[in-house]
């Protein structure tokens, strides 16, 4: 696998500009994309926990499970 193909797989499809990237640039972009994705997921989980935290304790876990299921990890 190449960084370019990994980047396209991560983005769920071909990337028109990928042909203009060097292998090193594609690798760097892939690392930045994955880091941004992890940061966004952590921020989303934190925001959801704060929102659910405003509910009475017996409803917190149930509400989170109903609204988001197991997608949050």
């Amino acid at each position: 696998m190449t960084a370019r193909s990994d980047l396209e797989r991560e983005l769920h499809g071909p990337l028109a500009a990928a042909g203009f990237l060097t292998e090193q640039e594609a690798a760097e972009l892939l690392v930045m994309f994955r880091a941004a994705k992890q940061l966004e997921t952590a921020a989303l989980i934190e925001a959801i926990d704060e929102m659910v935290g405003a509910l009475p304790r017996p409803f917190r876990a149930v509400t989170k499970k109903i609204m988001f299921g197991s997608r949050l990890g």
Side-chain angles (χ1 to χ4, degrees):
M1 292 290 173
T2 65
R4 187 175 293 120
S5 64
D6 289 345
L7 179 62
E8 289 178 350
R9 190 177 342 78
E10 191 78 29
L11 296 173
H12 304 289
L15 184 62
F20 297 106
L21 298 173
T22 65
E23 194 63 25
Q24 181 180 353
E25 290 169 336
E28 290 173 5
L29 187 56
L30 180 62
V31 169
M32 288 188 289
F33 179 78
R34 287 179 177 165
K37 194 173 173 182
Q38 287 177 342
L39 200 76
E40 182 180 17
T41 300
L44 179 62
I45 290 171
E46 184 180 336
I48 290 169
D49 287 342
E50 286 180 22
M51 183 264 311
V52 172
L55 297 172
R57 188 171 299 279
F59 299 118
R60 292 177 188 172
V62 173
T63 301
K64 193 172 179 181
K65 184 163 182 116
I66 289 171
M67 292 176 68
F68 305 103
S70 62
R71 289 178 279 188
L72 295 177

